[in-house]
């Protein structure tokens, strides 16, 4: 150990772990970073630590019927394609890229851990452990063993933006003793039907719950949807791992932005272009976290007429819902209230990715956290100046409102231009399926793709400038 503080650890630690990196969090971003790092950095060693029993992060606790909301190719680690890049050949999404289930994702990460990381001999995994405040020590939740790493070991915070999910969070409202309230996970384990289902939440989890119930024969009038805010969502058909499709969506976005007179006008133009979707045509959404949604799901969701819009749900009692605005809504006495109101993606301040204290994983391109984490792993492996790496990879925020979505799009585009200015990074990014905007080597820039690139070139500059104005950033 390297200092008086490290020496002080020695009296209570059980083991000293020899590692160059301590990666805190074995979810999607921690795995993507570690995978890229060991691919391009010779001889480095990694201690991978997670409070859960295995790798995969929140997927280990997710509701059983969840799927990725985007194509599998955009998720996972850079070295190994999730899902094999297969198209769906049947069902309502025939022709679109497949989306992995929870079970497939968990199995994928188990294989990556065993076959890639542990097999390399340079990664040790410590499940069921909490990292202590010092950041250079951790303790097993099971045995109580304490571990320490050298102060020279670089800490990688892969938990900064970890999502909060209903299975692990108490409902954000008061639950009366006589109320029936369950997290969304419990829908798959019901022993008898409820007379009414009350779905609480505005995001992807709530839409999944509604679609799952409707697809299993629950009548739409048996569902009450407490939707504090209406969301804008991306049309899944235009977020596909095909450069002509994905970059076509980007070109549509820039063209809409260039002509937009306001944020409201921008999103209505994007709706007209088939980029954005909203559930209720008579309500203009204010929420813009923009997960993807398929049009078949949209049709099912629009069949639910009993939508409650009173903002924050304050309390649930038998037969009644009480809202922060003072409204009281009556529901069936035997209603089952389904808690889908988890924190989801954390809206935390952007911080430099590289600091003396830690590498803090955040998206670099707009959204797509796995690509951002893999990019940081590649840059960390191939460069050694923190200031230069921060210049190349400034983080991009997650959005919540329409203005924040515009801000994310501008910052993400600037970040992509920054890392894309380096030949080796651009070459690496074009070879990684996690990168939604990649143009694979050898692709012809003629035909449909050529037309898309011409259109993107024509509208990108003015579109980004207008987005920056709408977002209120320089």
């Amino acid at each position: 150990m390297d200092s008086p503080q490290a020496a002080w650890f020695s009296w209570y630690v059980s083991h000293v772990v020899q590692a160059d990196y301590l990666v805190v969090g074995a979810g999607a971003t921690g795995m993507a970073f570690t995978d890229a790092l060991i691919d391009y950095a010779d001889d480095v060693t990694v201690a991978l630590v997670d409070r859960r029993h295995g790798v995969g992060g929140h997927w280990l606790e997710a509701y059983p019927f969840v799927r990725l909301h985007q194509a599998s190719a955009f998720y996972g680690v850079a070295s190994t394609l999730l899902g094999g890049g297969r198209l769906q050949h049947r069902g309502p999404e025939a022709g679109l890229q497949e989306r992995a289930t929870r079970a497939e994702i968990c199995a994928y990460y188990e294989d990556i851990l065993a076959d890639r990381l542990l097999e390399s001999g340079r990664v040790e995994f410590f499940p069921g452990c909490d990292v202590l405040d010092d950041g250079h020590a951790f303790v097993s939740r099971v045995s109580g063993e304490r571990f320490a790493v050298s102060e020279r070991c670089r800490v990688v915070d892969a938990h900064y933006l970890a999502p909060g999910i209903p299975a692990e969070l108490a409902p954000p409202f008061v639950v009366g003793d006589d109320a029936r309230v369950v997290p969304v996970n419990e829908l798959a384990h019901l022993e008898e039907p409820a007379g009414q289902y009350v779905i609480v939440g505005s995001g992807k989890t709530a839409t999944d719950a509604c679609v799952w119930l409707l697809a299993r024969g629950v009548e739409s009038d048996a569902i009450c949807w407490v939707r504090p805010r209406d969301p804008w969502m991306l049309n899944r058909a235009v977020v596909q791992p095909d450069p002509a499709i994905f970059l076509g969506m980007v070109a549509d976005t820039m063209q809409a932005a260039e002509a937009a007179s306001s944020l409201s006008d921008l999103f209505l133009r994007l709706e007209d272009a088939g980029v954005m979707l909203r559930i209720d045509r008579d309500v203009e959404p204010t929420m813009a976290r923009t997960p993807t949604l398929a049009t078949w799901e949209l049709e099912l969701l629009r069949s639910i007429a009993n939508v409650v819009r009173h903002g924050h749900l304050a309390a649930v009692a038998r037969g009644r819902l009480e809202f922060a605005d003072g409204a009281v809504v009556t529901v069936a006495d035997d209603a089952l209230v389904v808690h889908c109101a988890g924190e989801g993606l954390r809206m935390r301040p952007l911080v430099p990715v590289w600091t003396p204290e830690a590498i803090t994983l955040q998206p670099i391109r707009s959204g797509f956290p796995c690509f951002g984490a893999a990019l940081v792993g590649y840059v960390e492996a191939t460069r050694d100046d923190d200031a230069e790496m921060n210049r190349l990879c400034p983080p991009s925020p997650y959005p919540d409102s329409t203005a924040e979505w515009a801000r994310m799009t501008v910052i993400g585009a600037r970040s992509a231009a920054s890392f894309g200015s380096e030949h080796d990074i651009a070459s690496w990014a074009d070879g990684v399926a996690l990168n939604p905007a990649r143009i694979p080597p050898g692709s012809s820039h003629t035909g449909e793709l050529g037309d898309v690139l011409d259109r993107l070139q024509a509208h990108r500059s003015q579109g980004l400038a207008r987005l920056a104005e709408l977002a209120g950033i320089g």
Side-chain angles (χ1 to χ4, degrees):
M1 305 294 282
D2 306 307
S3 71
Q5 182 186 35
W8 180 78
F9 273 131
S10 65
W11 72 270
Y12 75 88
V13 299
S14 305
H15 302 285
V16 176
V17 178
Q18 301 299 326
D20 300 299
Y21 293 86
L22 174 62
V23 178
V24 183
T29 58
M31 294 290 281
F33 171 87
T34 303
D35 172 81
L37 178 73
I38 65 168
D39 252 2
Y40 293 94
D42 294 334
D43 300 326
V44 300
T45 56
V46 178
L48 182 62
V49 177
D50 200 283
R51 64 183 176 84
R52 295 185 172 92
H53 66 275
V55 292
H58 75 280
W59 291 102
L60 294 170
E61 315 299 339
Y63 44 101
F65 51 89
V66 68
R67 284 181 179 266
L68 284 171
H69 64 94
Q70 295 171 344
S72 295
F74 295 147
Y75 208 80
V77 303
S79 70
T80 309
L81 185 65
L82 171 59
R86 297 186 300 272
L87 290 178
Q88 300 180 59
H89 296 294
R90 61 179 64 87
E93 292 186 25
L96 301 185
Q97 287 268 336
E98 61 87 31
R99 298 181 293 124
T101 65
R102 169 194 162 182
E104 289 167 337
I105 295 164
C106 290
Y108 167 85
Y109 279 123
E110 288 178 1
D111 289 344
I112 294 297
L113 175 67
D115 299 339
R116 285 273 304 151
L117 305 188
L118 299 182
E119 184 68 19
S120 73
R122 294 192 283 142
V123 178
E124 285 188 89
F125 179 47
F126 298 88
C129 289
D130 289 318
V131 175
L132 303 181
D133 290 341
D134 166 81
H136 282 75
F138 52 96
V139 59
S140 169
R141 291 180 162 195
V142 179
S143 68
E145 288 182 285
R146 293 174 179 263
F147 304 84
V149 294
S150 164
E151 286 188 357
R152 289 195 301 268
C153 179
R154 190 148 209 185
V155 176
V156 180
D157 184 354
H159 197 256
Y160 184 67
L161 297 177
I165 61 174
E168 297 182 317
L169 298 172
F173 46 82
V174 176
V175 178
D177 292 339
D178 56 351
R180 296 179 66 201
V181 178
V182 298
V184 62
N185 297 54
E186 294 305 310
L187 276 182
H189 305 293
L190 296 179
E191 296 183 357
E192 58 183 30
Q196 185 181 33
Y197 295 92
V198 178
I199 307 299
V200 181
S202 299
K204 188 64 175 68
T205 301
T207 63
D208 279 353
C210 291
V211 168
W212 189 85
L213 288 170
L214 292 166
R216 276 149 188 79
V218 174
E219 297 293 333
S220 60
D221 59 7
I223 299 174
C224 170
W225 190 353
V226 177
R227 204 157 75 213
R229 296 185 295 164
D230 270 53
W232 283 111
M233 297 186 175
L234 284 166
N235 184 348
R236 188 173 296 134
V238 300
V239 185
Q240 294 291 302
D242 177 323
I245 295 175
F246 186 87
L247 294 177
M249 178 272 292
V250 177
D252 286 340
T253 300
M254 294 300 113
Q255 192 167 353
E258 184 177 7
S261 60
S262 64
L263 283 168
S264 174
D265 184 43
L266 168 65
F267 276 80
L268 294 176
R269 287 175 181 272
L270 291 173
E271 182 181 37
D272 288 342
V275 173
M276 290 290 176
L277 304 173
R278 56 175 161 166
I279 300 164
D280 191 330
R281 295 182 182 91
D282 296 324
V283 176
E284 188 169 334
T286 58
M287 183 176 172
R289 296 190 177 192
T290 59
T292 65
L293 191 74
T295 53
W296 70 271
E297 293 172 304
L298 183 66
E299 291 171 5
L300 285 176
L301 296 173
R302 284 176 171 167
S303 72
I304 300 173
N306 187 5
V307 178
V308 178
R309 297 184 177 92
H310 285 290
H312 177 66
L313 179 63
V316 174
R318 184 179 180 87
R320 57 190 277 132
L321 310 173
E322 300 172 8
F323 291 84
D325 67 357
V328 174
V329 173
T330 301
V331 294
D333 277 353
D334 66 342
L336 181 68
V337 178
V338 184
H339 160 37
C340 301
E343 184 181 14
L345 297 175
R346 291 186 182 178
M347 303 295 151
R348 301 186 69 175
L350 296 180
V351 298
V353 173
W354 284 269
T355 66
E357 294 76 28
I359 296 172
T360 305
L361 300 182
Q362 298 154 89
I364 308 298
R365 181 183 295 284
S366 301
F368 301 96
C370 294
F371 173 70
L375 173 63
V376 171
Y378 174 82
V379 171
E380 171 67 16
T382 57
R383 286 154 174 82
D384 57 13
D385 181 88
D386 285 1
E388 174 66 4
M389 291 189 287
N390 279 322
R391 183 189 70 80
L392 292 172
C393 298
S396 171
Y398 287 131
D400 187 50
S401 66
T402 54
E404 289 168 354
W405 184 88
R407 175 174 176 260
M408 173 198 72
T409 302
V410 173
I411 292 175
R414 292 173 178 174
S415 299
S418 182
F419 71 71
S421 67
E422 297 283 302
H423 176 74
D424 69 304
I425 301 178
S427 177
W428 173 85
D430 275 341
V432 173
L434 298 177
N435 177 13
R438 78 181 186 125
I439 300 177
S443 298
S444 172
H445 289 204
T446 60
E448 183 181 3
L449 179 57
D451 292 342
V452 163
L453 293 175
D454 288 344
R455 195 157 55 89
L456 185 56
Q457 178 66 25
H459 298 285
R460 184 180 185 277
S461 178
Q462 291 301 314
L464 285 174
R466 183 60 180 142
L467 281 171
E469 291 177 3
L470 293 172
I473 59 177

